[in-house]
Every structure is written in C-alpha cells, then in structure tokens.
Amino acid sequence: MRSTSSKNRTLKAAKPAAALLAAALALALTGCGGNDNKSSNGGSTASASGSGGGVTLPKLDGQTLEVAAVWTGAEQKNFMKVMEEFTKRTGAKINFVPTGNNTSTFLGTKIQGGKPPDIAFLPQVGVLHQFADKGWLKPMGADAKAQLDKNFSKGWVDLGAWKGKQYGVYAKAANKSLVWYNTAAFQAAGITSTPKTWQTFLSTAQTLSDAGSPAVSVAGADGWTLTDWFENVYLSQAGPDKYDELAAHKIKWTDPSVTKALTTLAQLWGKNDLIAGGNKGALNTEFPKSVTQTFSGDNPAAMVFEGDFVTANINADTKAVLGKDAKVFPFPTVGGIAPVVSGGDVAVALKDGKGAQALLTFLASTDAAAIWAAQGGILSPNKEMDQSAYKDDITRQIAKSLLAAGDNFRFDMSDQAPAAFGGTAGVGEWKDLQDFLRNPKDVAGTQQKLEADAAKAYSTG
C-alpha cells in the first residue's frame, strides 16, 4: 500500500478553513460589482516581481524547454503568459505539450521512450510518488528550493516532497468546495439566499427546476469532477479522520461511510429533472460545457459545482460578469462540517540541466505567481505573493481564505491515489462514478466495483 505520510503530516482539520471560506465569500460578494472582471489585465497593477523584488535567473539563450501539462484552452493560454516572461528573462524558448487527461500514461510513455519533457505538471500526488519511486524525477536544486521555502507554507512544501527529497512546487492550487450560480436564475425563481446545507441545496434545486431552470449542471463526461462531488460529500459527512483512512485505503470502499455518501449523492443524481440534460446529458457534458451552459444560452442552468478555476471559463467563454451575473457559495454542509477540498498541480523536473532547474526556480517565485494570478482562474499557494494580483474580488477572497487556513485543508482524495484508480479516464474511480451517475440506485454494486479497482491499484502502486 502506498504511504500517504506527507499528506497526513500536513492536513489536519477542515472546520477552521471552512469557516474562513464562508466568511471570505460573504465579504467578497457584498457590494461586488466586478467592473474589472472582464479586463484583460484584471484591473491589477501588481508588478511581475510581486512582493519578492524579483528572482535571479540564468541566461539560457538558444535552449528550448518542453513543458507538459493537462491544460487546454483558457488554462493553457493563461499559463503561457507566465512562460512568456520566463522567455523574456532567460532567452529560453518554451514548447508546451498537452498531456490529455491520462497524464501519467502520457508521461510514462515519453519517459520510457527516452524523450521526457523538461518539466511536467502532475495533477495527482500519487503520480509524484510513483514517478519518484521509479527514479523518473530530478530533485529540486538549491535555488529552486530556496524560493520554495521562502514563499510556501510547510503543508504545500511537504506535498511536493517524497521520502526525504524535494521534487516539486505546487505553483497552481484550487479550492474544490464551491458552487457557482446564475444570479438571474435565482432571481427568476424568487430565491433570495444561497443554501448552506445539503437539504436546502436540494430544495433550492427543486425550486429552480419548478421555475423552469435546469437546476444543476454536472460535468459527467469528465470523471474527475464526479470524484470531487463524492469527496466533498464524504468529507463533510464522514469527517476528516475517515477521509484520511479512505484516501490511504486503510478502510475499504465497501465501508458503511461510503454507502452513506453515495446514498446522499443519489438524492441529487437520482433526480433526472434536477440535472441539466438529465443523467444522459450530464454524461455527455465535459467540464467547460458544464460552465458555459450555466452562464450562457437561452435557458441556462442555475448552478454548477467546481473549483475556483471556473472563473477562467466564465471569463473566456461567456459574457457573464463575476460578482454580478455569476456568484459563488461554499459547498453545502452535509454532516458536521462544511468541506474544504483542495487540489493542485505540482511542477517537477524530468530532465537534469540548468534550464529545468531555472524554470522550477521561477515557478516557485512571487514573480511567476503574480503573473499567473493576474490572468484569472487559479489560486496560488505562494504566501508571499501580492494579493492585489488577482483580477477580481471573488478570487482574491477565496485565495486569502486558502492562505489563512494554513495547512488546515484536505487534499483531493483521488489525486492521492495511484493513477490507475484515481487519475485515469475510463477506468477506476472515474469510470465507477460515471456508472453510478448512469444508475444512482446501484449503491452496493458501485461500492463493490470501487473496492475491487482500488485494491488492485493500491497493491501494484
């Protein structure tokens, strides 16, 4: 069984972070007109140097570095703004290679073929552990490590380490405990307050549906979004200790706590009329579409669940204005606590050399963090970055709440698992939860499939 010691060292309790998040969102949405939300510069005057005064980088003229990550569309475009600054400072050319959803498989094939990228962004902690154990990762050099230690809290530093070696920097994070809503749909249905509990969330969805709006947009074509649904329900209902045990596969997926969480999810997923396009439509809806069909079209959906990165799709693909047409509330409390589930992408070096280490150093700096944050659609765990870099008040407050929580969060459960279970399209947890969305009555059968797939993946690492 793969150890999750670094996660267990750093992730303590979710309740303080949840309270901070709720307070921060309330503040952000009070009087937030958002007149700078559609600005390409985000209305921010934060310098590229951020609060760190600039990071020193070597000259790399004539070099070409290949960077691989899962991002496409707006996310890729925003990242390349950061790379443009790196090129300006060092002279190195950057080639970006999209990995597709099966990041570990894509990279494994490239590495085994002798052509790894210089830098890769891994969306799963489990993949970092697997790659490190295979000897595929290069430890961070002294300059990169110095930037990391200066700018990041211990929790985020530890997540990029494995067996005593520092491999990566979490340059991009996400708060995955948010529900975004179409204010016009709420107003048309006469809804004046956002739901705070799962039961009021369901009743709100029913009210919206009765008023003629598709209530909830679900990105069922992308299995990773379904794992996020499960994790928020499970963390709130079963609690942090059970969450840690299931993440480490110390309890089985046939455990009664999983039965309860799936049964709770079925209260929504089992009501075809509450889901945009019904269950069949949801299974054909990819994440970007789940956002656009909530904030555009003749009869938009009223709510969509996902992380702070939803703002990138709202800004790039719709005419909705954050804080006015599109607002957000914390994922509703299902049990004793409101959940705060975080995710992130860790940059690691797959090749030796000055170029790869220079890029890791840059990504760990406030310089890169400020440029990336100014594009929108991300949170930076970089605690020294000037928060004025964020382009809208909503994202700024969500980011502040994440930093204020320190290490009191839970990292995405599926991202801690071996990629064969928690990080690969068409198999494992992604596929099993898609099948459950297709047939929400089959709780027991879903649990049996989840356990069989988990047991196999964890036994092989």
Side-chain angles (χ1 to χ4, degrees):
M1 180 182 296
R2 181 180 54 80
S3 170
T4 55
S5 58
S6 66
K7 182 269 302 178
N8 288 333
R9 282 199 308 271
T10 61
L11 310 184
K12 304 298 183 185
K15 192 170 183 178
L20 286 164
L21 174 62
L25 290 181
L27 176 63
L29 295 177
T30 301
C32 179
N35 58 8
D36 66 344
N37 290 332
K38 286 292 182 179
S39 167
S40 60
N41 294 320
S44 171
T45 58
S47 69
S49 299
S51 61
V55 60
T56 302
L57 300 171
K59 285 297 181 182
L60 302 169
D61 297 288
Q63 293 193 32
T64 297
L65 301 177
E66 187 171 273
V67 179
V70 71
W71 313 311
T72 59
E75 284 189 298
Q76 179 183 331
K77 181 180 178 182
N78 291 346
F79 172 69
M80 289 309 295
K81 292 288 186 181
V82 185
M83 294 298 93
E84 288 170 12
E85 180 65 20
F86 181 77
T87 295
K88 179 181 176 181
R89 296 191 189 191
T90 65
K93 180 182 177 183
I94 300 294
N95 284 344
F96 182 87
V97 180
T99 65
N101 280 332
N102 293 337
T103 301
S104 62
T105 301
F106 174 89
L107 292 173
T109 300
K110 296 272 284 187
I111 293 166
Q112 291 172 325
K115 296 182 179 179
D118 295 271
I119 296 290
F121 281 84
L122 308 179
Q124 290 97 22
V125 179
V127 174
L128 183 148
H129 297 171
Q130 290 173 310
F131 281 19
D133 284 341
K134 291 176 182 290
W136 289 352
L137 304 184
K138 310 301 179 183
M140 294 180 76
D143 291 343
K145 185 68 164 57
Q147 286 293 316
L148 182 71
D149 290 340
K150 181 176 73 170
N151 297 324
F152 291 78
S153 71
K154 186 178 184 297
W156 289 102
V157 171
D158 285 353
L159 283 168
W162 184 236
K163 295 181 178 177
K165 293 183 179 180
Q166 191 70 47
Y167 291 105
V169 53
Y170 273 87
K172 182 177 187 286
N175 185 311
K176 292 188 170 188
S177 298
L178 303 171
V179 180
W180 300 84
Y181 67 102
N182 185 314
T183 57
F186 269 53
Q187 290 167 3
I191 299 170
T192 57
S193 61
T194 55
K196 293 179 174 58
T197 68
W198 181 255
Q199 288 306 314
T200 55
F201 177 75
L202 293 175
S203 63
T204 297
Q206 189 63 61
T207 299
L208 289 160
S209 179
D210 293 344
S213 292
V216 184
S217 179
V218 177
D222 289 323
W224 61 268
T225 68
L226 304 184
T227 71
D228 291 346
W229 273 102
F230 172 83
E231 288 156 9
N232 276 274
V233 169
Y234 190 83
L235 176 57
S236 182
Q237 195 171 62
D241 291 341
K242 281 281 192 182
Y243 186 97
D244 291 344
E245 291 174 357
L246 187 60
H249 201 220
K250 292 180 179 178
I251 59 174
K252 295 183 177 182
W253 284 81
T254 50
D255 189 84
S257 62
V258 179
T259 308
K260 190 173 181 180
L262 291 175
T263 302
T264 298
L265 267 179
Q267 293 173 351
L268 174 65
W269 292 4
K271 289 197 172 183
N272 206 56
D273 60 319
L274 298 186
I275 298 175
N279 297 66
K280 183 177 180 180
L283 286 164
N284 290 315
T285 299
E286 296 179 339
F287 167 68
K289 182 182 175 183
S290 75
V291 179
T292 57
Q293 72 181 14
T294 305
F295 298 105
S296 61
D298 295 332
N299 187 29
M303 296 183 286
V304 60
F305 155 72
E306 253 314 333
D308 52 274
F309 45 83
V310 165
T311 60
N313 298 83
I314 294 173
N315 285 329
D317 302 326
T318 80
K319 295 180 180 179
V321 176
L322 287 169
K324 180 182 177 183
D325 308 309
K327 292 188 178 182
V328 63
F329 58 88
F331 195 93
T333 299
V334 186
I337 60 171
V340 175
V341 176
S342 181
D345 297 275
V346 59
V348 296
L350 301 178
K351 283 185 179 179
D352 289 314
K354 184 187 293 186
Q357 289 297 326
L359 187 46
L360 286 181
T361 300
F362 185 58
L363 290 168
S365 72
T366 56
D367 302 38
I371 297 167
W372 208 346
Q375 310 311 312
I378 77 155
L379 298 183
S380 175
N382 191 314
K383 62 185 176 64
E384 299 300 323
M385 186 197 79
D386 186 344
Q387 297 296 295
S388 68
Y390 289 108
K391 67 187 299 179
D392 62 82
D393 288 339
I394 292 176
T395 305
R396 190 174 299 114
Q397 294 301 330
I398 294 171
K400 285 182 179 179
S401 73
L402 183 65
L403 292 177
D407 300 332
N408 291 327
F409 59 91
R410 281 298 186 275
F411 202 84
D412 186 298
M413 185 188 297
S414 64
D415 288 351
Q416 298 180 52
F421 179 65
T424 305
V427 299
E429 188 180 1
W430 292 19
K431 175 64 162 57
D432 296 339
L433 289 180
Q434 286 174 321
D435 290 343
F436 182 60
L437 176 59
R438 186 175 289 108
N439 181 18
K441 294 181 179 179
D442 189 18
V443 173
T446 299
Q447 286 186 262
Q448 290 167 3
K449 288 193 290 183
L450 284 164
E451 176 54 28
D453 290 336
K456 180 179 179 181
Y458 278 85
S459 66
T460 59

